Amino acid sequence: AISSATLVAGVPDAHWCCARSPRAMMLAAGSLAVGLGLGALLERRRQSRAAASTARPASSTEVVRSGADVAVDRPELEALVAACVERCGASPVDAALVAEVLVAADSRGVPSHGVNRAEMYCSELEAGLIDAAARPEVANETDSCACIDGCNGLGAVVSKFAMELCIKKAQQTGVGFVVCRRSNHYGIAGYWADMARRQKLVGFSFTNTSPFMVPTRTFQRAAGTNPIACYCPGGADSFQLDMATTTVPVGKVEVCHRKGQPIPAGWGVDRTGTNSTTDPAEVLLGGGGLTPLGGLEETAGYKGYGLNMMVEILSAVLSGCPEVGPDVPPWRADRGRPVYYGHCFICVDPAKLLPDGSFEGRLAAYLARMRGLPPADPSMQVLVPGDPERAEERLAGQQGVRLNRSVAVGLRALAQRLGCEARIPDRIREIPEDAAVPRHAGVAA
C-alpha cells in the first residue's frame, strides 16, 4: 500500500511551496490530491485481492443454488408435482410418491435431484417409455436376498417395494440384500437409505444410470453417475452419506444449463475427453461428459471410476439388467426404448451384531467427536455427512422449500402445458410471465 506520508514525500516541500508563487502552490496541492486518490485506489485493490485470495470457494451445491430463488410451501409443491405426474398416466398414489421423493431432494438442498426432474419424468410417461401401471415382482428370493423385476415401472414405485422387502429381511435375519432390474430413475439415493435408518437399520442404496461419465483414458461416455448412499441411526443423531461417484451428479449441470450459468472447471470435459469445459451444454448435449470422482487421471480420477464400476456391478450386473455401462440407453425422452436401470439395497440390523444395543450411542459419540475437531477456519464448524441437508430441511419446514427461479418457471410451464394451472402455488404463479428458461436437457435434446 502507498501511504499518504510516502506520497507527500514525493511532492515539493510545503514550506518551499509557500515561499513561491500561488501557481506553484496550486500545482503542489493538485499533485498531493492525485497522489492521495491513487493511494486510496491501490489500497482498495489490495484489500479486494486479499479478500479474494482468502475467500472460501463455493461448494458445488452453492454453485447450483446461486441466483434468485422462491420459497414454496412443501405440501403445495408436492401437490403440483403429483398433479403433473398423475396427468401423464400415473395413479394418484404413485404420483404422490414420485412427488414426495422429488420434493424431498429440494427440501434437503439437493436441487439436482428435485422438481427439476419432473419434466423429464412426465415426458417419459407421455412417450410410453415407462409403464405407469406396472407393479414390481419378486423374480427369486431367499431368507436374506431377493431379485426384483421392476417390469419397467416408475423407479420410485419399484424402489419402495424393494426397500420395504429388504427391511423386512434384515429385521428377520440381520441382513437384507435386494437387487432390482428393469426399473427407471429412482430419485435421490438417500431417500431409500433413510427408510432403513427410520427402522433403526443401517441402510445402503445404489443405482446405475445412463452414461454421463467419461472414464479415465477414454473420450466416450461409458458410465452413469452411479450414487452411493449410506444412512446409519445414532439415536437423535445420524450419519447420512449420499454422493455420486462422478465429481458432481448430472442434475447439477442440468440446473446450471437451465439457468444459463457456466459450470466450474473440473465438473466435466469436452468431446476430446481431456479438456475441462465450463459450458453445461457441451457436457449435456455437445459430446462431452462428467468427470469421475477425483477428476482427471493426474488427480486420481481412476478411484472414482473404480467406485463407479462397483456400483454398476451391484446394481446392474448382479440384478441381471439387459444392458450395463456404456450400453445403457441415454436418458432422453426421444430414446425410443426403456432404460431398464438397476438398483441395489442393503440393510443391516446393528442389534444382531451388538446385542447390547450400544451401536447408536457409539455412533453418536463418534459423530460428536468428528464435529468437535478444531476448525481450520474458526467461522466454519467441522461437519459430518448429512449436517447441511438436515439444516436445510429444518429451514424448509419453517420458510418453505427453496427453488431456483429458473427451475420454478420450468415447473410452471410444465403445469400449464398439462392443464394443471389450478395447482400452481401463488409464489410460483407470481413470477413474471416473461421469465423464460430452457427445457430439461433430456427433453430438449
Side-chain angles (χ1 to χ4, degrees):
I2 301 176
S3 69
S4 58
T6 303
L7 289 168
V8 171
V11 176
D13 183 80
H15 293 292
W16 180 87
C17 291
C18 292
R20 302 291 176 179
S21 67
R23 177 177 176 78
M25 292 174 61
M26 292 177 62
L27 288 173
S31 298
L32 178 60
V34 171
L36 289 172
L38 178 61
L41 175 62
L42 292 174
E43 177 63 14
R44 285 196 297 271
R45 290 182 63 184
R46 184 195 68 79
Q47 292 176 352
S48 176
R49 288 173 177 170
S53 66
T54 58
R56 178 178 63 88
S59 70
S60 61
T61 297
E62 289 170 335
V63 170
V64 174
R65 299 188 62 175
S66 63
D69 56 29
V70 56
V72 184
D73 178 72
R74 183 168 181 168
E76 290 184 3
L77 187 57
E78 288 184 356
L80 172 60
V81 175
C84 292
V85 176
E86 184 179 351
R87 186 61 60 93
C88 294
S91 71
V93 173
D94 291 349
L97 174 62
V98 170
E100 181 179 329
V101 175
L102 292 179
V103 175
D106 284 307
S107 299
R108 290 175 62 80
V110 189
S112 57
H113 288 67
V115 300
N116 167 60
R117 294 279 169 79
E119 183 180 16
M120 184 62 186
Y121 283 20
C122 288
S123 297
E124 288 181 293
L125 288 167
E126 288 178 308
L129 297 170
I130 298 175
D131 184 353
R135 297 293 97 182
E137 301 174 353
V138 177
N140 57 277
E141 68 176 321
T142 67
D143 290 343
S144 294
C145 303
C147 182
I148 307 299
D149 185 343
C151 300
N152 197 33
L154 287 159
V157 174
V158 176
S159 298
K160 184 173 185 289
F161 177 86
M163 183 49 99
E164 286 178 342
L165 180 60
C166 192
I167 289 171
K168 180 179 179 181
K169 291 182 178 297
Q171 291 171 332
Q172 293 174 345
T173 69
V175 177
F177 197 113
V178 176
V179 294
C180 309
R181 61 174 177 256
R182 299 209 305 152
S183 184
N184 286 281
H185 195 278
Y186 78 170
I188 186 171
Y191 183 93
W192 311 111
D194 194 48
M195 286 179 59
R197 181 196 65 83
R198 293 175 182 274
Q199 299 299 318
K200 298 186 177 299
L201 303 174
V202 174
F204 295 88
S205 169
F206 311 88
T207 186
N208 76 332
T209 74
S210 297
F212 286 107
M213 188 264 278
V214 177
T216 306
R217 298 191 179 184
T218 186
F219 56 85
Q220 178 184 337
R221 288 183 179 186
T225 56
N226 294 18
I228 297 171
C230 174
Y231 279 41
C232 306
D237 205 348
S238 61
F239 175 82
Q240 301 182 8
L241 173 69
D242 186 351
M243 52 171 272
T245 52
T246 47
T247 300
V248 294
V250 71
K252 292 188 175 182
V253 182
E254 292 168 357
V255 173
C256 289
H257 179 254
R258 284 195 167 209
K259 293 162 59 180
Q261 171 185 322
I263 58 175
W267 284 17
V269 291
D270 64 14
R271 65 186 63 202
T272 69
T274 57
N275 299 322
S276 180
T277 180
T278 59
D279 182 1
E282 177 72 17
V283 173
L284 296 173
L285 308 170
L290 299 172
T291 54
L293 184 65
L296 301 177
E297 185 168 2
E298 57 263 33
T299 53
Y302 48 82
K303 295 182 179 180
Y305 171 31
L307 285 172
N308 187 285
M309 289 190 67
M310 179 195 76
V311 174
E312 191 80 23
I313 292 167
L314 290 173
S315 302
V317 179
L318 192 59
S319 66
C321 284
E323 295 171 299
V324 300
D327 299 319
V328 177
W331 197 39
R332 297 200 310 261
D334 64 353
R335 63 180 182 265
R337 59 193 176 109
V339 289
Y340 287 154
Y341 289 162
H343 317 312
C344 176
F345 305 103
I346 304 172
C347 293
V348 178
D349 185 354
K352 298 293 195 298
L353 301 173
L354 293 174
D356 61 0
S358 64
F359 173 77
E360 292 192 13
R362 291 170 60 84
L363 175 60
Y366 173 46
L367 296 174
R369 178 74 176 88
M370 298 305 291
R371 292 191 187 100
L373 293 172
D377 181 344
S379 67
M380 300 179 64
Q381 180 187 354
V382 176
L383 304 176
V384 299
D387 283 351
E389 292 79 9
R390 278 190 292 263
E392 183 65 30
E393 197 163 26
R394 286 192 295 270
L395 190 64
Q398 298 166 0
Q399 302 178 4
V401 180
R402 286 200 294 169
L403 296 182
N404 183 271
R405 176 171 156 153
S406 297
V407 172
V409 170
L411 182 60
R412 182 179 67 186
L414 174 66
Q416 291 170 338
R417 180 175 71 79
L418 295 175
C420 301
E421 295 95 334
R423 289 289 191 176
I424 299 175
D426 289 341
R427 297 299 303 277
I428 296 179
R429 192 187 307 275
E430 293 165 358
I431 300 174
E433 286 292 339
D434 60 355
V437 294
R439 299 186 69 185
H440 188 282
V443 176

